[in-house]
Amino acid sequence: MKANTMNKNAALSNHNKIVTKNCFTIYNLFSDKAKQLILKTKNQGGATLFVGSGISLDSPTLLPSGENVTRYLAELLTEQFELTSRKEKTEVINAIIGTPFEYVWDQSPQNKQLEFVFINEYKNRQPNNIHYAIRDLVINGTIKHVITTNYDTCLDQVFQNIDFIKEVATENDSRNIESNQGIYFKIHGSAKSGLESTIVYRLSHEGILPSWKQKVLRRCLSNANLIVVGYSGLDFEICPEIKLAK
């Protein structure tokens, strides 16, 4: 399995740089080698795309990134401390920002109030051009499987008329995947009405990935070229599984 990562700054300075690390060969997504590989995978049945919150930042979706959610929670946390200066508050916030928001959430004194606001923030958002581009790549066969940690329903909306890719957000969904079917795997759950309980947004929800999720993830990654876009890689339960799925 090869992983292609999108990083615009790296693209400018290391356009064709190839890095071999552990079981992966990592290509800059903008490099000539990565482009050749993506075209090759289309002829081989399509690659697996792993997307994070970065694809939902643009208008009209305008969802916050995981880092911005962490910043918001950090600001709430500092309200419980008797900080004497703005400098102290800024130092505390900056110390927290590099932490996954699921951990920070568990430390928030107002997490019950936040839960309703947080989940509803991800409902009723409109897809942006990135979501439509992903749809087109699925339709033309460049992408076979899509894995996302995103809760929003933007990809749900653009995939709704594609019958050869199956949405998997629950264990029950995972039991009915046809042998050659594409998978749209919402590995951290969905904000879709009726599926709110599937959302992973607190550290207590993470841990060892449930066995059914492990199986779906490994099916998506097995012998596949992996393209990663807009994902931080800060999920404790997912990243080790990606390595195991080589």
Side-chain angles (χ1 to χ4, degrees), residues 75-245:
E75 290 173 351
L76 288 178
L77 281 172
T78 58
E79 291 177 3
Q80 68 180 313
F81 304 126
E82 294 182 1
L83 302 177
T84 58
S85 70
R86 184 175 182 83
K87 180 181 178 182
E88 285 181 319
K89 182 176 180 179
T90 300
E91 288 175 349
V92 171
I93 290 173
N94 288 338
I96 292 172
I97 284 174
T99 305
F101 77 82
E102 294 91 341
Y103 176 79
V104 179
W105 186 290
D106 278 354
Q107 310 309 311
S108 173
Q110 304 178 45
N111 53 44
K112 284 295 181 181
Q113 297 94 317
L114 284 171
E115 185 173 333
F116 177 81
V117 175
F118 178 76
I119 291 176
N120 279 277
E121 182 73 10
Y122 290 86
K123 292 179 178 286
N124 303 316
R125 293 287 180 157
Q126 296 301 309
N128 61 42
N129 288 338
I130 299 174
H131 299 112
Y132 286 110
I134 293 170
R135 177 203 61 187
D136 293 344
L137 290 172
V138 170
I139 290 174
N140 71 24
T142 303
I143 300 297
K144 181 170 185 179
H145 304 301
V146 178
I147 305 166
T148 184
T149 51
N150 297 350
Y151 315 128
D152 65 76
T153 63
C154 293
L155 284 175
D156 306 36
Q157 294 173 57
V158 300
F159 289 163
Q160 63 182 348
N161 294 319
I162 305 176
D163 57 10
F164 53 82
I165 189 166
K166 178 180 176 60
E167 180 180 338
V168 176
T170 68
E171 184 173 3
N172 189 55
D173 295 335
S174 71
R175 298 190 181 109
N176 302 295
I177 305 172
E178 297 178 9
S179 59
N180 198 39
Q181 193 169 24
I183 298 170
Y184 166 41
F185 187 20
K186 304 199 74 169
I187 194 167
H188 273 177
S190 176
K192 185 185 294 184
S193 294
L195 293 178
E196 295 91 344
S197 63
T198 65
I199 293 180
V200 174
Y201 60 92
R202 298 181 65 171
L203 189 65
S204 56
H205 296 161
E206 293 195 20
I208 297 175
L209 205 64
S211 60
W212 72 268
K213 288 189 177 182
Q214 291 178 14
K215 290 177 183 178
V216 176
L217 182 62
R218 290 175 186 179
R219 175 169 170 174
C220 291
L221 297 178
S222 180
N223 299 314
N225 290 294
L226 177 64
I227 303 172
V228 180
V229 178
Y231 177 60
S232 67
L234 291 176
D235 292 300
F236 309 117
E237 85 283 31
I238 294 176
C239 293
E241 289 296 327
I242 293 177
K243 181 177 180 179
L244 291 173

